[in-house]
Amino acid sequence: MSLPITLAIDTAAPRLQLAVLRADGTTDISIDDIATGHAELIFDRIATLLARNNLGYPDLGRVAVTTGPGSFTGLRIGLSAARGIALARNIPAIGIPSLLALSLSASGPSTVLLDARRDEAYFQMFVGPGQPISKADIVPMAIAQAAIVPGTTLISSPFVDIALVARYGAAADPSLHPPEPDYVRDADAKPQSAARIARLTP
């Protein structure tokens, strides 16, 4: 069975990565190394990618998007774009956790360990590509390093193979892959209260 034409979006790391899985099973990609400015570029880059493959939005059967952990702003941009396209075209939007997406580049068992700053790491183990055996977690860096299973592929780069993301998203069950952010670490934003005026009670 052929896979649907699928657009993949990744804005979790300091890159804007796009891919389209074509009807013949091949992929084409677009990559911009940028830390900010995803919002200004994303739809222009999508239009260019589709046009050079003689495709338009009506040709898309799915949209896949990485869901984090990653940049809060970047994730919101990618998820909003994917949801908007999916809603407009009435097609599935497939959310793919970024640590799982990274595991797709390994040929066998792998450990994903990403620097989360504050001497912590995003950590997850996989028995094979896209097959987790532990949940995504944030742990002290020393504990994560000690938990690396010898003989597994260690993945420490935050940059997914966007072509593999497109292929995974084309076959994934939409009911198991909601396009919702997966921050792993809670957002740092806190309610503003310093200048709040107390409410008078009668």
Side-chain angles (χ1 to χ4, degrees), residues 163-191:
L164 294 178
V165 172
R167 194 171 300 279
Y168 182 92
D173 183 344
S175 68
L176 300 177
H177 294 81
E180 302 292 340
D182 184 12
Y183 295 128
V184 180
R185 169 191 282 152
D186 291 335
D188 290 332
K190 297 179 181 179

Side-chain angles (χ1 to χ4, degrees), residues 19-171:
V20 62
L21 176 70
R22 297 175 287 225
D24 63 1
T26 60
T27 55
D28 188 14
I29 65 173
S30 170
I31 298 176
D32 289 280
D33 284 302
I34 53 172
T36 60
H38 297 82
E40 291 77 13
L41 282 180
I42 188 167
F43 283 105
D44 176 71
R45 293 296 191 265
I46 291 172
T48 299
L49 178 63
L50 293 177
R52 76 180 183 217
N53 286 281
N54 297 313
L55 297 171
Y57 286 106
D59 297 303
L60 296 178
R62 287 189 171 197
V63 183
V65 60
T66 52
T67 60
S71 159
F72 294 134
T73 301
L75 288 174
R76 287 196 296 269
I77 292 165
L79 284 162
S80 295
R83 289 170 176 167
I85 293 168
L87 180 63
R89 300 305 313 157
N90 193 28
I91 57 176
I94 309 296
I96 304 173
S98 295
L99 303 189
L100 185 149
L102 287 165
S103 79
L104 299 176
S105 63
S107 59
S110 64
T111 301
V112 179
L113 189 161
L114 299 183
D115 187 352
R117 302 180 182 177
R118 307 178 192 175
D119 203 29
E120 293 179 317
Y122 297 119
F123 184 83
Q124 192 170 18
M125 294 184 292
F126 297 83
V127 69
Q131 300 174 286
I133 55 174
S134 67
K135 70 180 184 71
D137 202 358
I138 185 166
V139 297
M141 180 63 76
I143 291 177
Q145 292 172 334
I148 297 170
V149 178
T152 64
T153 299
L154 176 61
I155 300 172
S156 57
S157 167
F159 302 117
V160 302
D161 184 326
I162 194 63
L164 294 178
V165 172
R167 194 171 300 279
Y168 182 92

Side-chain angles (χ1 to χ4, degrees), residues 5 37 171 197:
I5 294 174
I197 299 174

Side-chain angles (χ1 to χ4, degrees), residues 8-25:
I9 300 170
D10 174 54
T11 54
R15 279 184 184 172
L16 169 57
Q17 297 200 108
L18 305 169
V20 62
L21 176 70
R22 297 175 287 225
D24 63 1

